[in-house]
Amino acid sequence: MRQTIIAAAAVFLSLTGAASAQPALPSPPPDYAAPAAWLCLPGRSDACATDLTTTVVAANGTLTRETYRADPSAPIDCFYVYPTVSTDPTPNSDMTADPAETYVIAQQFARFGGVCRPFAPLYRQVTLAALRALMTGQPVAADRAMAYADVQAAWRYYLEHHNNGRGVVLIGHSQGAGILTALIASEIDGKPVQSKLISALILGSNLPVPRGQAVGGAFKTVPTCASADQTGCVISYVSFRDTVPPPASSRFGVPQTGGPVPLPASVDFAAACVNPAALLRGTSEAPLHSYLAAAGRAIVTSASPPVWATGKTVDTPFVSTPSLLSAHCVSTPTHTYLSVKVNADAADPRTDTILGDVVIAGAVQPDWGLHLIDVNLAMGDLVEIVGRQSAAYRASR
């Protein structure tokens, strides 16, 4: 039950809606001039200065070690808003990072430090405790407007004191993605600052677009990305196993028309699905460059470490498995999602499965999909795309 609550909390805001685009400040925002208000800032030893060493497990079971180094001279910035992971007992988190808030940085954001300067504000997000109240039928006292207002204040502080005319990529997952959707709609879309937007990675969230179109839903002028070198665009998807597609009851892959940016009921909207691997490889079904937690732990859940290759020991924090996973976007009359295939081969020593489902009493909960590892699944592809977008953005200027 604890695993289910944690997983559900990770999507709480993406299902119920982030704060309105112009919320009234419920309380003074944190002081983002204080370094302690940030999980990551450039040039310091913090949550982004973590060990990202990876074991690459080939199809024949051969292990090679891949090291990682951040680029302190990266020419662009990345601004990240993390999903619901806080274990604070209050409905909204405090401004002191708990281990879960630090851990999610390693899983979802630190690796972007190879192509951009990292900025990750702490914010008073809706917590796991709020979801427990919701799931047990108690009134939820969480202040979603406060969570949004904190990120809004951090963004404005970043622009005034850190940006210095640089291009920036916005990155968020689940609650963070919902907040960024509202932020882009209210602070960036159609405004002069949009010229600095290299791209937005709105992951694990039901970003609405008119069916069959690239723009015109949550954002008026920010389209979905159609190539790895396109700038000023957005990448968004929710992920499911190809063998466990979203059931009719799943709210993942369904456009959120009543959320952060209210949309007219007269338009046929779909949830955006942009496959990062397809942008790079030019085929609809494309291998994913994943970085999975070697110990099997996703966001704040725990799991037994997988056996990545028979008879082999992995001693690095991350694992990459070339050709094991591939994906393509699927659109049905009700759901749009990234369908993830495990290219299992019983004849080789490598694992034939991956962790990432929500499981209760041994049973996979199909309506959640692979939300817990949305970002891990395509991490290598996303970092490569941001690098290419950075080059294209700078070349255009």
Side-chain angles (χ1 to χ4, degrees):
M1 183 63 178
R2 173 175 168 76
Q3 185 179 21
T4 305
I5 289 174
I6 290 171
V11 298
F12 178 55
L13 280 204
S14 65
L15 298 185
T16 60
S20 63
Q22 297 291 338
L25 292 179
S27 64
D31 179 11
Y32 286 104
W38 297 82
L39 284 164
C40 296
L41 284 173
R44 71 176 192 181
S45 181
D46 55 26
C48 279
T50 187
D51 185 5
L52 299 178
T53 307
T54 301
T55 297
V56 181
V57 185
N60 63 4
T62 300
L63 307 185
T64 56
R65 201 175 188 88
E66 177 186 287
T67 59
Y68 164 85
R69 178 175 295 179
D71 181 3
S73 301
I76 65 167
D77 295 342
C78 287
F79 184 94
Y80 168 71
V81 185
Y82 50 92
T84 312
V85 293
S86 174
T87 58
D88 291 347
T90 50
N92 285 79
S93 64
D94 59 25
M95 288 293 291
T96 300
D98 62 25
E101 288 163 318
T102 301
Y103 181 77
V104 77
I105 292 288
Q107 295 300 310
Q108 295 190 345
F109 183 58
R111 200 172 294 273
F112 286 96
V115 292
C116 55
R117 296 194 309 167
F119 292 85
L122 279 161
Y123 70 104
R124 291 171 293 181
Q125 68 166 214
V126 176
T127 62
L128 301 175
L131 185 73
R132 292 188 184 99
L134 178 69
M135 293 180 68
T136 56
Q138 302 173 38
V140 177
D143 191 336
R144 292 179 290 129
M146 181 167 66
Y148 173 85
D150 285 359
V151 174
Q152 180 189 58
W155 170 249
R156 291 176 176 178
Y157 185 88
Y158 157 77
L159 285 177
E160 183 176 356
H161 298 280
H162 291 294
N163 178 262
N164 297 319
R166 296 159 65 93
V168 59
V169 176
L170 300 179
I171 303 170
H173 180 246
S174 197
Q175 178 176 169
I179 289 174
L180 283 182
T181 298
L183 185 80
I184 293 169
S186 63
E187 301 277 312
I188 298 172
D189 194 5
K191 294 179 170 57
V193 72
Q194 187 174 347
S195 64
K196 297 179 181 181
L197 180 67
I198 295 176
S199 66
L201 311 184
I202 306 296
L203 309 174
S205 183
N206 300 319
L207 183 73
V209 292
R211 190 174 297 275
Q213 300 181 35
V215 69
F219 309 135
K220 295 183 178 67
T221 62
V222 182
T224 54
C225 295
S227 76
D229 300 294
Q230 182 181 353
T231 60
C233 58
V234 61
I235 294 174
S236 185
Y237 61 84
V238 299
S239 58
F240 284 81
R241 294 183 186 271
D242 66 332
T243 54
V244 190
S249 61
S250 178
R251 286 188 282 180
F252 289 109
V254 177
Q256 185 182 325
T257 56
V261 184
L263 299 170
S266 59
V267 178
D268 181 18
F269 288 101
C273 182
V274 178
N275 181 359
L279 295 183
L280 290 167
R281 296 169 185 89
T283 57
S284 59
E285 177 76 32
L288 293 167
H289 186 178
S290 305
Y291 283 93
L292 304 171
R297 180 185 174 196
I299 307 182
V300 294
T301 59
S302 60
S304 299
V307 177
W308 294 102
T310 304
K312 302 293 180 68
T313 299
V314 171
D315 61 358
T316 58
F318 289 90
V319 163
S320 182
T321 54
S323 75
L324 180 64
L325 303 176
S326 60
H328 68 282
C329 285
V330 171
S331 182
T332 74
T334 57
H335 292 78
T336 308
Y337 61 97
L338 189 67
S339 177
V340 179
K341 180 181 180 181
V342 180
N343 300 301
D345 185 351
D348 70 41
R350 194 164 59 172
T351 183
D352 286 337
T353 188
I354 58 167
L355 301 176
D357 305 286
V358 175
V359 180
I360 300 175
V364 171
Q365 304 303 294
D367 52 329
W368 292 106
L370 291 171
H371 185 76
L372 299 179
I373 56 171
D374 280 325
V375 183
N376 302 75
L377 286 168
M379 175 61 75
D381 303 303
L382 293 168
V383 171
E384 183 178 351
I385 288 170
V386 168
R388 289 178 56 165
Q389 290 174 327
S390 170
Y393 176 85
R394 290 178 287 117
S396 71
R397 283 152 178 77

